[in-house]
Amino acid sequence: MAEKSGFSKATVSAVLNDADTVSDSTRRKVEQVIDELNYRPRSAARGGFRDDGNRSVGVIIKEGGNSYYADILSGARSCARQKGYTILSASSGGEYASEQQIVDVMKGKDVDGLIVVPVLNSDTDLSYLFDLKRRNFPFVLLETIRGIRANLVDVDNEAAAKMGTSYLIEKGHRQIIHFAGPEYSMHSEERTRGMREAFSESSLAFHDDLVIPAGARLEDGYETGEAFFGDLSSEERPTGVVCYNDLVAIGLIRALRELGIAVPEDVSVIGCDDIEPAKYVSVPLTTIQIPKREMGRHAAEILIKDIESSQKTAPSQVHLEAEIIERASTTTN
């Protein structure tokens, strides 16, 4: 590395460690060589990827209690195990600072690469991802980040939410609202856009107060449902709710039941993700099925291929398709 760049090992080390003693021109030259050699400055990658039986991949998710991520981890773990890698996983809890700390800890444990479901909100500082990219540290994102060309495995969330909304419209519903997800998720923004698009292709008029901030957890759906529907008369309440995910939808169904509002006779509820409990709740949930295990498997395959490549390759972009699963929580209006 030092020989190729024309600088001393000390200078190269200073660049890799972001020392402020290096001039900008020297830093740019060394970084160009890093890029050309596909050099990865960590012990796991010295002399190429290691084959000592201790290879590992880190997976950083946002919500540890959400079985959506358990399915992604299952798919990633299955692929990684076949290729001789161990999976280390951790949850940021939807907090950016925690996410950054987990990345630092996992890098300190010499993981060979990362699969990241990033926290995205107004407080997010994505400099650590740019730093990973600059250092050629292999990683795969499971959510789109504008401005970063990186390996990505995701679902067309706009199309998924549009599918769910259009399904209710086709069933005759004209008063439809959306229980939106958390601010830290780009998926929430994309699913709101999908609902808006479905409205634009129908005779219904979309307006912002049809989008109700909820969240991603069971209690978010329950508490938001209780607060929103609690004071509405039967004439005022919507007949259909498209929820950010299945957990929110399941929480909402409980709130509606406690308020004496029948699902689906009074209000149809549709979720997204198709987590395992969705088919076993008191009113089996109509939902948009996301291929979660497939996402995890694809992410692990792409990451391990990147880890084991001796040459730099263009980022892989995989977008999987969702489908609607019809159960008992929706009906014709």
Side-chain angles (χ1 to χ4, degrees):
M1 174 67 185
E3 181 180 351
K4 175 73 174 178
S5 68
F7 295 99
S8 68
K9 291 182 179 179
T11 299
V12 172
S13 178
V15 171
L16 293 174
N17 289 291
D18 291 325
D20 56 13
T21 56
V22 182
S23 69
D24 289 342
S25 61
T26 297
R27 187 181 302 278
R28 283 194 297 270
K29 290 175 182 177
V30 173
E31 288 176 351
Q32 182 177 354
V33 175
I34 290 173
D35 197 49
E36 291 172 356
L37 295 179
N38 199 30
Y39 179 76
R40 284 148 186 185
R42 66 195 196 287
S43 60
R46 290 172 188 152
F49 76 94
R50 61 184 173 188
D51 194 18
D52 57 6
N54 294 312
R55 293 175 289 173
S56 61
V57 168
V59 182
I60 305 172
I61 60 175
K62 286 189 287 196
E63 296 139 16
N66 190 337
S67 60
Y68 171 89
Y69 295 111
D71 287 345
I72 288 175
L73 279 168
S74 175
R77 186 174 288 113
S78 176
C79 173
R81 184 168 51 243
Q82 291 174 2
K83 296 180 181 293
Y85 287 77
T86 298
I87 290 283
L88 304 177
S89 63
S91 170
S92 67
E95 296 179 358
Y96 163 72
S98 177
E99 177 179 287
Q100 191 171 36
Q101 289 171 354
I102 292 168
V103 171
D104 291 340
V105 168
M106 286 190 170
K107 284 168 61 181
K109 291 183 177 296
D110 266 351
V111 296
D112 295 275
L114 292 170
I115 297 171
V116 183
V117 187
V119 175
L120 299 172
N121 59 29
S122 58
D123 299 323
T124 299
D125 176 3
L126 297 175
S127 58
Y128 81 92
L129 287 176
F130 285 100
D131 183 61
L132 293 179
K133 189 171 178 62
R134 180 172 61 83
R135 293 166 179 265
N136 287 327
F137 191 98
F139 67 94
V140 178
L141 297 175
L142 295 186
E143 197 162 326
T144 303
I145 296 179
R146 298 188 186 99
I148 295 183
R149 290 193 70 249
N151 294 318
L152 172 71
V153 179
D154 204 353
V155 171
D156 188 336
N157 284 279
E158 287 188 37
K162 178 182 176 181
M163 185 186 306
T165 307
S166 297
Y167 168 85
L168 289 180
I169 293 172
E170 289 166 7
K171 289 227 172 242
H173 293 269
R174 294 295 177 265
Q175 296 171 281
I176 303 169
I177 62 171
H178 177 49
F179 271 24
E183 291 184 357
Y184 60 69
S185 174
M186 180 63 72
H187 287 173
S188 180
E189 180 181 326
E190 291 167 347
R191 291 175 186 180
T192 300
R193 288 202 301 265
M195 179 192 178
R196 184 183 292 110
E197 188 173 343
F199 268 63
S200 71
E201 294 182 7
S202 74
S203 60
L204 303 182
F206 180 87
H207 40 93
D208 290 341
D209 59 7
L210 296 178
V211 179
I212 313 302
R217 304 170 302 167
L218 284 167
E219 53 265 43
D220 295 329
Y222 176 79
E223 292 169 4
T224 305
E226 192 175 47
F228 181 82
F229 283 92
D231 296 325
L232 295 181
S233 66
S234 58
E235 293 78 18
E236 294 172 316
R237 68 183 175 224
T239 63
V241 185
V242 180
C243 294
Y244 168 71
N245 67 13
D246 291 343
L247 292 177
V248 169
I250 292 168
L252 169 61
I253 289 173
R254 177 182 169 183
L256 292 174
R257 183 175 67 245
E258 292 182 2
L259 290 169
I261 300 171
V263 176
E265 293 81 4
D266 298 325
V267 177
S268 286
V269 177
I270 184 166
C272 188
D273 292 342
D274 195 28
I275 60 175
E276 191 67 15
K279 65 183 77 168
Y280 297 111
V281 290
S282 58
V283 182
L285 184 64
T286 297
T287 187
I288 305 300
Q289 184 182 72
I290 304 296
K292 303 171 289 300
R293 287 184 175 85
E294 192 176 351
M295 286 178 67
R297 179 178 60 80
H298 273 291
E301 286 178 347
I302 291 169
L303 182 61
I304 292 169
K305 182 179 179 181
D306 193 2
I307 290 168
E308 299 184 356
S309 175
S310 60
Q311 298 180 344
K312 186 176 182 181
T313 58
S316 296
Q317 305 270 310
V318 176
H319 287 87
L320 303 174
E321 294 185 0
E323 63 175 306
I324 195 157
I325 304 296
E326 188 172 19
R327 297 194 181 103
S329 66
T330 52
T331 190
T332 301
N333 188 44

